[in-house]
Amino acid sequence: MSLYIMIMAGGKGERLWPLSNPGRPKQLIGFDGRGSLVRQTLERLHGFAPFEKIWVMTGIEIANQVAIGLPELPGKNIIAEPFGRNTAPCIAFAASLVARQDKDGIMAVFPSDHMIADTGAFRRGLDVAIGFLEKNPHHLLTLGIVPSHPETGYGYIEPGEIVWHDPGDHSGLKVQRVQRFIEKPDIASAKTYVDKGCLWNAGMFVWRVDAILKAFERDMPVMHKTLMDAWQRYSDPNEVLEYFYSHTKAISVDYAIMEKADNAVVIPVDIGWNDIGSWDALGKVLEADSNNNAFNGDVVFEDSGNNVVWAGGKRVVLLGMEDTVVVEGDDAILVCPRSRAQEVSGIAKKMNAAETKGVGRFKIP
């Protein structure tokens, strides 16, 4: 079976505002000197599939930037979504695109905006996933992250019985049945889930295209019919995408498919994963001093600790500050308690809406 890869790069990057913004969201930014996050995603997958079998779905506003950053990919493999529709329509369209070439193909889906420290462990996990699906083609597989701490910003997966392991693989990886998917919890529940052996839901999937399309037909029949109608109307994938997105609703693949599936399985992997979902999360991977001040750029700390600072073109000095986030963006500066870093996306939405309306200054309630 051939492997086809879809990289999802359509996010707006609001959680890392003001460094990340709709014109340059976080997938186009490099945080560790190894290139942009979407560039790193492609490089992690090197050798699993030829470039002509790798697609990137992204927003129309940044499609040219993505294409410039990934010159190895054919231009037609950079697919510009006319507008956001969350992950379920994105994945359904991608699966239908692959199925037109290879109805028995295996399709792997990865977000473009994650950092993974242990590329070798990630690649071993993908190898095991492919090996499992070659023998068990009707399952929907996800890679679940072994958590390093209780986290309220992620959803969780509760694994069940072991259903498969490759006797020839010495990594110790195994495939387990998914008992349930769990929404983002409060801190007390997160601690319970970690103690129970639950995994972080990273949104990384591997499945046969016929299996995922059958799941859409079963659990999202209107969306599936709209997609099939689009292919009957048009032969150009861009026209299909335009019609499909204009006539379907926005919904995540977790809600649409995975939470309903009785054939979902998970491989627990420990890969040094971080979805860079907030400035607090990024602070865990940035360079840090002896007082746990994580920083980038020209930063001076005086009698300060446990801060996260991203300096742009200016020197940033913190005096007597604790547990604070300071970020210098292109046209805004963010200062907030580190404990409230998860709220930044809400501020970004309001700021972006105000800019769209031409509002220069306003108070955020």
Side-chain angles (χ1 to χ4, degrees):
M1 296 181 190
S2 295
L3 180 70
Y4 301 80
I5 295 170
M6 178 59 66
I7 298 173
M8 298 184 294
K12 295 181 179 179
E14 292 169 331
R15 294 181 293 176
L16 291 183
W17 182 87
L19 180 67
S20 173
N21 56 63
R24 192 185 63 151
K26 69 173 182 176
Q27 59 266 34
L28 298 181
I29 300 172
F31 296 96
D32 58 2
R34 295 190 295 140
S36 70
L37 295 180
V38 68
R39 171 91 236 158
Q40 291 184 38
T41 304
L42 180 64
E43 290 179 354
R44 276 195 298 273
L45 295 164
H46 179 72
F48 278 102
F51 291 128
E52 61 268 21
K53 293 183 179 179
I54 300 175
W55 287 268
V56 178
M57 289 193 69
T58 188
I60 194 169
E61 304 86 355
I62 63 169
N64 285 339
Q65 295 180 67
V66 171
I68 291 169
L70 305 176
E72 303 93 329
L73 298 185
K76 63 182 179 60
N77 286 27
I78 307 296
I79 300 173
E81 297 175 296
F83 35 80
R85 276 289 184 256
N86 213 316
T87 55
C90 169
I91 288 170
F93 173 80
S96 71
L97 192 65
V98 172
R100 293 176 68 82
Q101 299 187 30
D102 183 355
K103 62 183 179 61
D104 298 323
I106 294 175
M107 172 181 168
V109 180
F110 298 104
S112 64
D113 56 356
H114 296 172
M115 294 182 73
I116 293 176
D118 192 339
T119 298
F122 165 80
R123 291 174 66 86
R124 287 192 293 275
L126 182 52
D127 274 330
V128 171
I130 294 167
F132 171 77
L133 288 169
E134 286 175 343
K135 295 179 171 58
N136 302 272
H138 304 300
H139 287 77
L140 306 179
L141 187 146
T142 184
L143 300 180
I145 308 301
V146 177
S148 58
H149 60 277
E151 173 60 58
T152 60
Y154 305 147
Y156 286 75
I157 300 169
E158 182 179 343
E161 64 178 311
I162 297 173
V163 297
W164 191 81
H165 73 277
D166 184 351
D169 176 72
H170 302 292
S171 65
L173 296 177
K174 53 190 180 294
V175 181
Q176 295 179 251
R177 194 173 306 281
V178 171
Q179 294 287 89
R180 59 173 173 150
F181 290 87
I182 303 167
E183 295 300 309
K184 295 176 182 178
D186 56 35
I187 187 62
S189 298
K191 290 177 180 176
T192 299
Y193 296 146
V194 171
D195 291 342
K196 192 176 181 179
C198 293
L199 309 164
W200 287 335
N201 182 0
M204 297 187 287
F205 306 103
V206 191
W207 40 47
R208 282 218 348 190
V209 289
D210 54 353
I212 188 61
L213 287 173
K214 184 176 293 184
F216 273 101
E217 184 177 18
R218 179 186 65 240
D219 296 325
M220 298 293 292
V222 175
M223 181 179 290
H224 182 269
K225 183 178 185 304
T226 302
L227 179 59
M228 296 302 106
D229 287 347
W231 280 112
Q232 286 189 343
R233 286 170 176 262
Y234 305 104
S235 58
D236 182 348
N238 293 307
E239 292 181 312
V240 172
L241 184 64
E242 179 77 33
Y243 178 90
F244 175 51
Y245 270 43
S246 298
H247 292 82
T248 196
K249 66 179 182 178
I251 185 172
S252 75
V253 74
D254 290 312
Y255 284 130
I257 302 297
M258 298 304 290
E259 292 184 5
K260 303 172 185 176
D262 60 4
N263 59 339
V265 293
V266 61
I267 300 176
V269 292
D270 188 359
I271 57 178
W273 175 86
N274 191 321
D275 84 333
I276 318 297
S278 69
W279 283 107
D280 179 60
L282 183 60
K284 294 178 172 64
V285 298
L286 289 176
E287 178 184 358
D289 66 12
S290 59
N291 293 315
N292 198 35
N293 292 301
F295 64 95
N296 174 84
D298 188 0
V299 185
V300 176
F301 297 101
E302 186 71 25
D303 191 25
S304 299
N306 200 40
N307 300 291
V308 180
V309 182
W310 187 281
K314 296 183 176 65
R315 174 175 294 174
V316 177
V317 181
L318 269 67
L319 171 62
M321 300 295 291
E322 300 284 335
D323 303 305
T324 301
V325 173
V326 179
V327 181
E328 179 189 354
D330 292 337
D331 53 9
I333 295 173
L334 168 71
V335 181
C336 73
R338 189 166 178 172
S339 62
R340 299 187 65 177
Q342 291 282 359
E343 301 175 40
V344 168
S345 62
I347 300 297
K349 286 182 173 68
K350 293 177 181 178
M351 296 293 284
N352 293 335
E355 290 176 3
T356 300
K357 295 176 182 177
V359 177
R361 296 180 181 176
F362 64 100
K363 291 184 179 180
I364 298 174

